[in-house]
């Protein structure tokens, strides 16, 4: 059913429809509305998951770890400092191959403390071994959560759904919330395979320590499975489209002039602003386009390369920075694209600084200056 | 191989604990007292490292290790999951999903009747007194039906005998080395039983590896009580206390008999039992002199002053818990 609803509440509805058994969370802006709404569902009798009020994000992540290892569907959400506090456990969840789903309401990181949106939090834990999806709008945020469970339970890799704090979490938009029946059909009950969970009838030991004789192969397995999860993600995006009649199976979407010389690359809600700017540029006869990267881990290398194949310049727009290097997405794209193509790193929107079409036009001009180094725009 | 062993335990031999390790002995008795209907969440530390070298494991019950500090919270997740599973099995859940297919519904329902699955969080003193303290407090506050078992060897042994919040006054550790300007650890051991009681734990008790029957009885009793539970067991550490393997039990017994380590049991906040000290009560010197970690105290006049202080701390315990 289509309704005009705040992003956080739409996501909470989606989570309710996914029927997790254990939800654990700790409050941090801008994630709070999601978990408050879930607590409300439970209080109203609309849902009956165990809602564990953790005393920290470290604990919240540990609680969903334990519940997931016991064979039930779990959910948690966080942001910024909270996500960073979880970091150690996030690596462990992935290493233990647990299908935990987490929403990151993306927010800047201290210091200075700042509650507004950028994507530094998620990008900082990119090597933890999670599948990382980035939503452009609230419909995608809802849809990605249904997909997250469907994918994670197949590949036994946790999924983090990223939605920009405030820009998406606190914004009212028309969103199609699927029915219970539709979701149950797309996402059946979770049934972990025997021997993979804590069960007194078939005891297993999980989380054993590995010596140099085994550690490398175990990490290599996780790497290989994360890379090959790309095919499952695409397949499930396709299934989603069949069931719900929206979305597409691409991990990287292209928008704008097909022969664009200048192509922007970005993730999350900023893509919407860039699309508007691209429309204006195209209307004025300028050859511009944008690639939207929906899935950052695993990184869809081939799709990025092919979508940038015609571009002369790639302007990579990051709402994060690897201090001492450049925007993180920029580094990843530079690693893929041959030197004859100019890839420039632009940093925007840190700590919630508004990004307007005018900024995108500025970037459009600056990328042609062929300057190396990082350009801050805002 | 295991059925040919002389004893039958849920904790298999073949682990890599040191000769004379008090901790592994305590782990075995705790687990056997709890029985096979038990899930263990183990913190990082000697208890985990000696028993779970991939691809082997000493445990015949479901066992999980995640991180150093989070055994209590992971156990909280296990417990929450078990609650929802029971709801699903009783057919009283309309919403939740996630039932393991190998869970035979009828059998599980019988188990439910026969008694619930025990959830235990295991860790060292470092795991509970220090780094996982907040997570332990959180679980206690939420009233989760978990038995937290602290194997207290009074330092971070797995990383090479560094001092923790459980290290006693004046002990020599690698981060409290006695020398010209130091007499060992200058801080007092944290009183975790008092902290557990402040959280309204339904069970809070101590034991030592000198009395494994007491350990087993305490585990069994604690597991009959629903709610948050804490059991702290003093376990001798041969390389960490610089002791002889043959003295593991003797030293732990002296810890109790001298009044240095009171063995007590609180149920619902009430002191039900405190193991009496013998008459005449051995002096603390007898306990201290068997351990290299206190050797420096016997070498100087300052050391004699400190021994007196340790004696007076033991005497205070006598009064506090009425141990005579
Ligand atoms: C976050 C974190 N910090 C430090 C360590 C290193 N570490 C592993 S075990 C351990 C000591 C464990 O001490 P304790 O809990 O007392 O158990 P013991 O080994 O003495 O039985 C330490 C410091 C770690 N694994 N994780
Ligand atoms: Mg210790």
């Amino acid at each position: 059913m289509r309704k005009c609803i705040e992003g956080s509440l739409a996501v909470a509805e989606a989570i309710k429809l996914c029927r997790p058994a254990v939800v654990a969370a700790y409050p941090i802006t801008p994630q709070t509305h999601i978990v408050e709404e879930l607590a409300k569902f439970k209080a109203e009798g609309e849902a009956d998951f165990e809602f564990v009020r953790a005393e920290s994000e470290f604990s919240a992540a540990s609680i969903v770890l334990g519940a997931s290892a016991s064979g039930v569907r779990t959910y948690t959400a966080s942001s910024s400092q909270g996500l960073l506090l979880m970091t150690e456990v996030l690596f462990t969840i992935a290493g233990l191959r647990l299908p935990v789903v987490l929403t990151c309401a993306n927010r800047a990181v201290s210091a200075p403390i700042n509650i507004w949106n950028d994507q530094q939090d998620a990008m900082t834990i990119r090597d933890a071994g999670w599948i990382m999806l980035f939503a452009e709008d609230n419909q995608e945020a809802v849809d990605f959560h249904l997909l997250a469970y469907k994918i994670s339970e197949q590949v036994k890799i946790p999924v983090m759904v990223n939605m920009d704090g405030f820009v998406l979490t606190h914004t009212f938009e028309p969103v199609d919330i699927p029915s219970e029946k539709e979701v149950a059909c797309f996402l059946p009950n979770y049934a972990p395979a025997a021997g993979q969970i804590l069960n007194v009838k078939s005891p297993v030991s999980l989380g054993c320590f590995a010596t140099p004789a085994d550690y490398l192969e175990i990490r290599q397995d996780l790497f290989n499975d994360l890379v090959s999860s790309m095919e499952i993600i695409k397949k499930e995006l396709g299934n989603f489209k069949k069931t719900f009649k929206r979305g597409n199976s691409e991990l990287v979407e292209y928008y704008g002039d097909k022969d664009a010389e200048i192509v922007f690359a970005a993730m999350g809600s900023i893509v919407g602003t860039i699309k508007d700017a691209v429309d204006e540029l195209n209307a004025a006869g300028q050859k511009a386009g944008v690639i939207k990267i929906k899935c950052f881990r695993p990184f869809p290398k081939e799709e990025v390369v092919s979508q940038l194949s015609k571009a002369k310049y790639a302007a990579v727009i990051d709402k994060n920075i690897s201090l001492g290097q450049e925007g993180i997405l920029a580094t990843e794209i530079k690693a893929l694209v041959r030197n004859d193509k100019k890839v420039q790193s632009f940093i925007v929107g840190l700590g919630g600084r508004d990004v307007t079409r005018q900024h995108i036009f500025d970037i459009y001009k600056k990328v042609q200056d062929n300057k190396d180094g990082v350009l801050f725009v805002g | 191989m295991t059925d040919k062993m002389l004893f039958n335990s849920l904790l298999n031999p073949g682990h890599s604990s040191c000769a004379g390790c008090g901790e592994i002995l305590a782990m075995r008795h705790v687990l056997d007292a709890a029985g096979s209907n038990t899930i263990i969440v183990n913190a990082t530390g000697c208890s985990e490292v000696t028993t779970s070298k991939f691809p082997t494991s000493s445990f015949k019950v479901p066992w999980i290790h995640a991180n150093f500090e989070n055994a209590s919270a992971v156990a909280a997740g296990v417990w929450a999951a078990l609650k929802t599973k029971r709801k699903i099995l009783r057919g009283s859940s309309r919403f939740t999903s996630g039932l393991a297919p190998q869970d035979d519904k009828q059998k599980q329902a019988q188990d439910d009747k026969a008694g619930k699955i025990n959830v235990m969080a295991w860790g060292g003193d470092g795991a509970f007194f220090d780094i996982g303290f907040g997570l332990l407090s959180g679980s206690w506050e939420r009233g989760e039906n978990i038995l937290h078992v602290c194997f207290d060897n009074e330092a971070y042994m797995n990383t090479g005998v560094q001092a923790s919040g459980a290290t006693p006054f004046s002990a020599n550790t690698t981060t409290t080395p006695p020398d010209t300007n130091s007499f060992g650890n200058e801080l007092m051991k944290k009183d975790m039983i008092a902290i557990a009681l402040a959280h309204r734990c339904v069970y809070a008790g101590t034991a030592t590896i000198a009395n494994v029957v007491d350990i087993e009885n305490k585990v069994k009793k604690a597991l009959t009580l629903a709610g948050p539970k804490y059991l702290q067991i003093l376990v001798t550490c041969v390389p960490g206390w610089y002791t002889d393997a043959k003295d593991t039990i003797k030293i732990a017994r002296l810890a109790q008999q001298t009044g240095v380590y009171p063995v007590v049991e609180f149920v619902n906040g009430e002191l039900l039992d405190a193991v009496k000290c013998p008459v005449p009560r051995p002096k603390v010197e007898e306990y201290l002199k068997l351990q290299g970690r206190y050797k420096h105290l016997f070498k100087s006049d300052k050391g004699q002053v400190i021994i007196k202080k340790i004696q007076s701390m033991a005497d205070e315990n006598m009064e506090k818990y009425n141990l005579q």
Side-chain angles (χ1 to χ4, degrees):
Chain A
M1 195 181 73
R2 210 167 154 77
K3 47 180 162 176
C4 195
I5 183 172
E6 193 196 84
S8 296
L9 305 198
V11 166
E13 295 255 9
I15 295 305
K16 184 180 83 177
L17 290 166
C18 293
R19 313 170 312 280
V22 175
V23 175
Y26 187 86
I28 184 166
T29 304
Q31 151 265 32
T32 38
H33 288 187
I34 302 173
V35 292
E36 286 166 4
E37 188 70 359
L38 288 172
K40 202 166 131 225
F41 288 147
K42 177 149 191 202
E44 292 168 347
E46 287 274 302
D48 66 353
F49 43 74
E50 282 299 309
F51 186 91
V52 188
R53 276 187 298 115
E55 78 294 335
S56 73
E57 289 89 352
F58 195 99
S59 189
S62 305
I63 289 163
V64 291
L65 183 159
S68 184
S70 306
V72 301
R73 195 171 277 165
T74 64
Y75 176 73
T76 187
S78 196
S79 292
S80 179
Q81 309 307 122
L83 193 79
L84 296 195
L85 187 59
M86 287 181 175
T87 305
E88 189 193 4
V89 189
L90 297 179
F91 275 76
T92 309
I93 288 170
L96 287 170
R97 305 298 301 264
L98 298 173
V100 170
V101 170
L102 178 152
T103 310
C104 180
N106 300 106
R107 161 182 156 181
V109 162
S110 287
I113 193 165
N114 172 298
I115 60 163
W116 293 275
N117 166 245
D118 66 34
Q119 294 172 345
Q120 190 68 52
D121 48 9
M123 296 304 270
T124 302
I125 57 92
R126 68 191 179 278
D127 300 329
W130 287 57
I131 292 170
M132 295 173 70
L133 307 176
F134 282 82
E136 180 188 343
D137 55 29
N138 286 336
Q139 185 67 62
E140 230 173 34
V142 163
D143 297 351
F144 281 179
H145 282 90
L146 310 192
L147 279 156
Y149 284 106
K150 190 80 187 282
I151 294 161
S152 68
E153 288 166 11
Q154 280 175 72
V155 298
K156 299 179 189 66
I157 294 175
V159 177
M160 177 180 305
V161 178
N162 291 280
M163 60 190 298
D164 284 313
F166 295 110
V167 183
L168 295 184
T169 56
H170 289 54
T171 298
F172 284 72
E173 279 185 336
V175 175
D176 195 348
I177 308 284
S179 71
E180 254 181 60
K181 220 168 129 193
E182 282 173 313
V183 177
C185 182
F186 178 73
L187 180 72
N189 283 355
Y190 175 42
Q196 293 183 339
I197 58 161
L198 299 168
N199 183 332
V200 290
K201 284 183 205 73
S202 54
V204 289
S205 293
L206 306 175
C208 292
F209 86 94
T211 66
D214 298 298
Y215 184 85
L216 187 114
E217 282 76 11
I218 294 171
R219 298 301 281 176
Q220 191 179 359
D221 277 351
L222 176 52
F223 171 83
N224 289 340
D225 290 352
L226 191 50
V227 170
S228 54
S229 74
M230 208 127 54
E231 290 313 311
I232 310 270
I233 300 170
K234 279 192 252 182
K235 185 192 85 188
E236 288 304 341
L237 279 164
N239 284 341
F240 188 92
K241 186 174 182 201
K242 262 185 240 147
T243 311
F244 298 99
K245 314 278 179 274
R246 55 174 181 269
N248 58 58
S249 57
E250 289 167 8
L251 301 179
V252 180
E253 285 176 17
Y254 188 91
Y255 182 90
D257 189 324
K258 290 285 168 251
D259 301 315
E261 286 185 355
I262 295 176
V263 175
F264 302 100
M267 301 193 295
S269 64
I270 194 178
V271 172
T273 309
I274 301 175
K275 282 178 178 170
D276 283 351
V278 163
D279 283 345
E280 277 191 49
L281 288 165
N282 289 167
Q286 312 265 32
K287 291 182 173 305
V290 54
I291 58 170
K292 158 176 143 185
I293 293 157
K294 289 198 269 195
C295 173
F296 181 69
R297 283 289 181 273
F299 197 56
K301 294 186 191 178
E302 281 170 24
E303 285 87 338
V304 171
V305 169
S306 95
Q307 303 277 32
L308 287 177
S309 63
K310 290 189 192 146
K312 212 162 138 197
Y313 299 99
V316 185
I317 302 180
D318 273 288
K319 279 189 183 176
N320 66 78
I321 184 160
S322 173
L323 295 168
Q325 172 65 324
E326 61 193 343
I328 293 169
L329 186 59
T331 304
E332 305 252 343
I333 291 181
K334 281 186 185 177
L336 298 178
V337 175
R338 292 203 321 276
N339 273 344
D340 58 358
K341 203 156 301 189
K342 200 71 201 170
V343 180
Q344 171 74 51
S345 172
F346 293 92
I347 308 296
V348 304
L350 296 189
R353 178 70 58 87
D354 204 15
V355 186
T356 64
R357 274 171 305 170
Q358 191 52 51
H359 293 126
I360 308 301
F361 298 144
D362 291 348
I363 290 170
Y364 182 82
K365 281 191 206 110
K366 283 181 179 152
V367 72
Q368 302 173 69
D369 294 346
N370 261 355
K371 285 218 180 72
D372 268 333
V374 187
L375 290 181
F376 289 73
V377 177
Chain B
M1 182 190 113
T2 45
D3 27 29
K4 293 207 187 89
M5 303 303 292
L6 288 174
F7 63 89
N8 195 10
S9 170
L10 291 168
L11 197 150
N12 278 329
H15 52 74
S16 59
S17 286
C18 306
C21 175
E23 184 166 74
I24 196 84
L25 191 57
M27 286 159 63
R28 182 155 67 75
H29 285 279
V30 169
L31 179 51
D32 285 335
S36 60
N37 214 28
T38 299
I39 296 174
I40 298 174
V41 181
N42 210 139
T44 312
C46 286
S47 55
E48 158 264 334
V49 164
T50 54
T51 51
S52 70
K53 177 174 167 265
F54 180 86
T56 66
S57 168
S58 300
F59 294 96
K60 290 205 241 176
V61 296
W63 177 93
I64 183 170
H65 160 253
N67 298 98
F68 183 20
E69 58 277 62
N70 62 7
S72 303
V74 173
V78 171
W79 186 67
L82 289 176
K83 279 212 292 189
T84 62
K85 279 189 182 186
R86 268 183 226 129
K87 252 193 305 201
I88 296 165
L89 286 163
R90 271 192 251 115
S92 61
S93 173
R94 276 204 298 132
F95 306 102
T96 46
S97 67
L99 188 62
Q102 71 269 37
D103 280 0
D104 174 328
K105 288 200 182 194
Q106 255 185 332
K107 256 201 198 158
Q108 179 99 25
Q110 281 165 6
D111 279 357
D112 238 354
K113 261 188 243 156
K116 74 257 166 288
I117 294 166
N118 305 311
V119 181
M120 290 200 281
W122 282 12
D125 48 285
F128 286 126
F129 281 61
D130 292 352
I131 199 166
F133 184 68
L135 290 86
L136 176 62
S137 169
S139 176
W140 282 344
E141 185 213 330
R142 291 187 298 266
E144 286 152 354
N145 191 13
I146 296 166
L147 173 58
H148 305 263
V149 184
C150 173
F151 300 101
D152 180 13
N153 52 23
E154 305 197 311
Y156 298 117
M157 296 313 184
N158 189 48
T159 38
V161 202
Q162 295 84 16
S164 76
T167 301
F169 178 65
S170 84
N172 177 3
T173 70
T174 54
T175 50
T176 58
D179 212 313
T180 341
N181 293 323
S182 159
F183 56 88
N185 181 29
E186 74 274 25
L187 307 178
M188 298 292 166
K189 188 183 179 100
K190 205 183 274 186
D191 185 353
M192 285 293 278
I193 294 296
I195 296 168
L197 293 172
H199 283 78
R200 292 183 282 273
C201 281
V202 295
Y203 188 95
T206 57
T208 80
I209 196 55
N211 190 344
V212 294
V213 176
D214 183 50
I215 294 175
E216 294 201 358
N217 288 339
K218 282 182 169 153
V219 169
K220 283 181 188 152
K221 182 193 259 180
L223 289 174
T224 62
L225 302 166
K229 297 172 276 286
Y230 179 68
L231 177 60
Q232 179 180 305
I233 307 171
L234 182 73
V235 290
T236 314
C237 176
V238 172
W241 295 4
Y242 312 99
T243 59
D244 271 345
K246 69 171 171 44
D247 291 334
T248 288
I249 302 299
K250 185 177 178 184
I251 292 167
R253 185 177 300 127
L254 281 166
Q256 182 272 317
Q257 292 185 336
T258 52
V260 166
Y261 206 95
V263 172
V264 296
E265 184 175 61
F266 289 86
V267 172
N268 293 319
E270 201 186 320
L271 180 62
L272 284 199
D273 187 39
V275 179
K276 300 287 181 199
C277 294
V279 189
R281 176 162 63 107
K283 291 276 169 221
V284 296
E285 276 97 331
E286 288 196 43
Y287 171 65
L288 303 175
K289 74 181 181 211
L290 291 172
Q291 306 174 55
R293 61 177 172 156
Y294 296 113
K295 200 165 81 185
H296 57 289
L297 301 183
F298 295 92
K299 287 184 182 157
S300 69
D301 293 344
K302 172 94 199 266
Q304 285 307 312
V305 176
I306 285 165
I307 290 172
K308 278 211 187 79
K309 179 157 170 125
I310 296 171
Q311 183 63 57
S312 73
M313 283 156 57
D315 297 346
E316 276 170 35
N317 285 335
M318 300 300 293
E319 293 222 352
K320 183 172 173 192
Y321 296 110
N322 188 22
L323 300 177
Q324 202 67 72

